[in-house]
Amino acid sequence: MAESMPDDLFCWIGDADFASWAKARGDEAAALVKLLQRAIKPAEGLGPIKTLVSKVPFGMVHLLSNAPKAVADGYAAWLGVPATVHHVDLRSPIDYDAVFKAVDGVMAGQAEDPKRPPCGRAFHLSPGTPTMTAIWVLLGKSRYPARFYQTHKNDVIETEIPFDLKVDYLPSLLHASDALLESGVAASMPPASFGFVKARNARMREVIARAERIAVRDVSLMILGESGAGKDLFARGVHQHSRRARKPFVAINCAAVPKDLLESELFGHVKGAFSGATTDRDGAFVAADGGTLFLDEVGE
């Protein structure tokens, strides 16, 4: 079994980190402030990043910065640990959209190296702005699971975030949304028609209201009902009320397709795949691309 590596650390280089480096540079501090084109507060101790890496081993330290390249690279060299700088274009350190895109772009580019033992991720929450901290937390609890660290003065704190977006929040959000769909409750009287479907009673109006709400989503849908109930009409209505309405609506009666030809009907075939296949043929899934595929009598 391969031995696991220490976590890789990801964080922004904050002003407090630059200030600590400036203090270590002594009489060059004024030049650093000039390069950054902004004032920085006097340093206290080693700064958040160097405090952390001096007490916790990491496989690689990934530093994000929009500071001048010479400044960020110089700071990385001062850390004294393996570190790489990701120079990003950031229009504002408090712009959530810009910060998210910068972080997500860096994280997405960190593909697993097959020659290297597996390692985890760690996010340092202390450097940078509150916006940057919030983005680390959101991504670390969803798309890029990670450990979290904070530093305070000379102390290192491994931080537990007491929620999980994928486990605690999103399922309950989707469940509440689906429950709303199931209820069929509308602010006004449910509609009396849906495409070619006409309703006379309250129960059918509720079904139509639910179909209208489902139509705006790009999700798979199963329509149940006895023969002659109008399942195909509801399927066409969902298509017509969706953003896919300008794309194809392809209906396949599964019960009418011989079993040995169903795969070809759905997925297509190439010339010579079987006796009688004289040309290449796209299947129903390709024909319905971007639109709606209705598999009638799919239970058969």
Side-chain angles (χ1 to χ4, degrees):
M1 180 181 296
E3 182 181 353
S4 62
M5 291 281 289
D7 294 340
D8 281 352
L9 177 66
F10 295 83
C11 60
W12 290 90
I13 308 176
D15 279 359
D17 299 296
F18 283 129
S20 297
W21 181 44
K23 183 179 180 181
R25 287 156 56 102
D27 59 357
E28 296 185 45
L32 175 61
V33 171
K34 184 177 181 179
L35 281 171
L36 291 174
Q37 298 181 341
R38 62 177 181 270
I40 54 177
K41 296 180 180 179
E44 293 185 7
L46 297 175
I49 298 175
K50 190 151 188 174
T51 295
L52 178 57
V53 300
S54 66
K55 296 189 175 186
V56 180
F58 293 100
M60 175 62 73
V61 177
H62 295 268
L63 304 172
L64 284 71
S65 177
N66 67 330
K69 187 176 187 301
V71 176
D73 289 347
Y75 174 80
W78 175 69
L79 282 179
V81 297
T84 184
V85 179
H86 302 273
H87 301 279
V88 299
D89 182 16
L90 188 66
R91 58 179 178 266
S92 169
I94 60 172
D95 184 322
Y96 280 92
D97 181 62
V99 172
F100 169 79
K101 288 179 179 177
V103 173
D104 189 54
V106 169
M107 297 304 302
Q110 301 308 304
E112 291 290 337
D113 184 352
K115 298 180 181 179
R116 183 182 177 194
C119 63
R121 306 184 191 93
F123 295 159
H124 193 1
L125 305 180
S126 297
T129 64
T131 299
M132 294 169 173
T133 299
I135 295 300
W136 284 130
V137 171
L138 290 171
L139 289 178
K141 301 300 291 187
S142 58
R143 186 173 297 180
Y144 306 108
R147 294 183 181 180
F148 299 100
Y149 288 92
Q150 294 184 90
T151 51
H152 179 65
K153 295 184 178 179
N154 199 39
D155 294 329
V156 172
I157 306 164
E158 184 171 353
T159 304
E160 293 292 333
I161 307 295
F163 66 86
D164 190 313
L165 288 174
K166 292 185 293 185
V167 174
D168 299 329
Y169 178 67
L170 288 180
S172 61
L173 174 65
L174 294 175
H175 178 74
S177 180
D178 289 341
L180 185 61
L181 285 173
E182 285 291 331
S183 71
V185 175
S188 57
M189 174 66 71
S193 63
F194 182 69
F196 293 102
V197 180
K198 307 297 180 181
R200 294 183 180 180
N201 59 55
R203 177 56 181 159
M204 183 58 74
R205 286 173 181 254
E206 289 179 2
V207 174
I208 289 176
R210 191 183 309 165
E212 283 193 330
R213 286 165 176 75
I214 292 174
V216 301
R217 293 185 168 191
D218 288 328
V219 296
S220 297
L221 171 64
M222 178 174 288
I223 304 175
L224 302 176
E226 298 176 357
S227 295
K231 297 185 293 295
D232 57 333
L233 296 181
F234 266 101
R236 292 181 184 276
V238 167
H239 176 74
Q240 293 168 2
H241 285 73
S242 74
R243 59 182 179 179
R244 305 178 303 279
R246 294 182 179 274
K247 297 292 185 176
F249 176 88
V250 178
I252 300 292
N253 186 346
C254 297
V257 180
K259 182 178 180 180
D260 56 349
L261 293 180
L262 183 60
E263 183 177 355
S264 173
E265 188 73 21
L266 296 179
F267 302 106
H269 61 254
V270 295
K271 180 180 178 181
F274 52 85
S275 178
T278 57
T279 61
D280 291 352
R281 180 181 184 277
D282 289 335
F285 280 97
V286 172
D289 185 35
T292 301
L293 175 62
F294 175 49
L295 301 176
D296 196 12
E297 301 294 347
V298 69
E300 298 296 322

